[in-house]
Amino acid sequence: MTKKEKYIPALNQNWLTPLYDSVLKWGMREETFKGYLIEKAHLKPGHKVLDLGCGTGTLTIQMKQLSPRIDLTGLDGDQRVLSIAKEKAEAVGAVINWKYGLAFDLSFEEASFDRVVSSLMIHHLTTVNKRKAFQEVFRVLKPGGEFHLIDFGKPTSFVMRLVAIPISHMEEAGDNIRGLLFDMLRQAGFSTILENKHFKTIFGELIYYRSIK
Ligand SMILES: C[S@@+](CC[C@H](N)C(=O)[O-])C[C@H]1O[C@@H](n2cnc3c(N)ncnc32)[C@H](O)[C@@H]1O
């Protein structure tokens, strides 16, 4: 497997990683869509929660601050973003388990988590690896556990279709833009609900999916 098939860095190139947080904050309505994801996850004290492809840890830290009694793991395939995440968490005293790993080959035991959340990671995976990652999420969730996912989706307006053109030809993001994630989630075994919740950003339209094991 090539390095690119394993993982693509947060902004596609390693040298851009230090800019990631600013791009998300100013260009992607980060607070709005991550806040929505957290609200929908209904985290409860004692919940075991996995942030899949946690990147620089903004969502992970926000979850821990809002729900201090969850047992939270942030996993990513890039050691560089994980060290940024660790530093950010230490700065605010958030205790989180940071783990290096690949989304499509998780080392956790079956039925380990009550919730898995994932933001903007799935469009980094090849088609085969997306399917494997969804199967892995299904495996590590407890029965009745929930997978809350936000990522690029099929554009719903002319402007958003134009914005999506540059990424739509790539295998990784193309699956998202063609609207294939819903069927992939179902094929992995989930009951998936599309709530028709879209977030328009300067890089494309984000869609929220709620899936139950
Ligand atoms: C666009 S960033 C999103 C980060 C974070 N979830 C957020 O919303 O800000 C995508 C992240 O997915 C990670 N990633 C890409 N492929 C991965 C894989 N196969 N396994 C685990 N993480 C992966 C990248 O390293 C990167 O940190």
Side-chain angles (χ1 to χ4, degrees):
M1 188 180 293
T2 63
K3 192 170 172 231
K4 185 172 173 277
E5 279 169 331
K6 280 190 182 166
Y7 82 92
I8 298 173
L11 285 178
N12 216 320
Q13 303 290 331
N14 285 327
W15 61 273
L16 288 173
T17 298
L19 302 177
Y20 181 77
D21 278 0
S22 305
V23 170
L24 263 271
K25 189 169 179 189
W26 304 114
M28 295 284 293
R29 304 177 58 198
E30 179 181 36
E31 264 183 48
T32 310
F33 78 80
K34 287 186 176 168
Y36 185 81
L37 191 69
I38 295 174
E39 188 192 319
K40 298 305 281 188
H42 293 296
L43 302 175
K44 299 206 172 67
H47 266 171
K48 281 198 73 179
V49 182
L50 172 64
D51 183 358
L52 192 69
C54 63
T56 56
T58 308
L59 172 69
T60 338
I61 294 166
Q62 208 177 335
M63 282 193 287
K64 187 68 181 177
Q65 288 180 321
L66 289 170
S67 304
R69 288 166 63 202
I70 59 173
D71 177 351
L72 180 58
T73 300
L75 174 138
D76 203 280
D78 182 353
Q79 298 280 17
R80 289 179 206 84
V81 286
L82 279 178
S83 45
I84 296 173
K86 272 181 207 163
E87 261 179 42
K88 281 165 61 175
E90 274 165 24
V92 295
V95 179
I96 293 163
N97 314 308
W98 299 107
K99 192 165 171 61
Y100 168 78
L102 295 174
F104 48 82
D105 185 19
L106 299 176
S107 59
F108 307 109
E109 287 187 9
E110 204 175 314
S112 300
F113 294 98
D114 300 282
R115 298 283 185 272
V116 177
V117 301
S118 188
S119 148
L120 297 179
M121 188 279 294
I122 290 297
H123 74 278
H124 285 235
L125 304 182
T126 60
T127 308
V128 169
N129 287 341
K130 281 189 191 78
R131 289 187 184 282
K132 284 191 195 162
F134 290 155
Q135 285 161 7
E136 280 292 78
V137 173
F138 191 83
R139 183 181 68 77
V140 303
L141 271 171
K142 297 175 184 174
E146 297 177 11
F147 179 31
H148 296 267
L149 166 67
I150 284 194
D151 212 312
F152 291 110
K154 194 170 180 175
T156 58
S157 69
F158 176 69
V159 175
M160 283 294 119
R161 274 196 290 281
L162 288 183
V163 171
I165 288 172
I167 58 170
S168 59
H169 299 294
M170 299 154 87
E171 176 186 348
E172 291 84 358
D175 293 334
N176 294 52
I177 304 303
R178 288 195 295 281
L180 304 182
L181 299 196
F182 181 78
D183 282 344
M184 286 186 187
L185 285 160
R186 293 229 159 194
Q187 284 155 10
F190 284 110
S191 302
T192 296
I193 299 154
L194 256 181
E195 293 190 354
N196 210 13
K197 187 70 189 171
H198 300 234
F199 300 89
K200 293 188 166 97
T201 79
I202 57 168
F203 296 109
E205 195 158 343
L206 307 180
I207 294 187
Y208 166 70
Y209 307 80
R210 173 168 172 260
S211 302
I212 302 169
K213 175 168 173 177

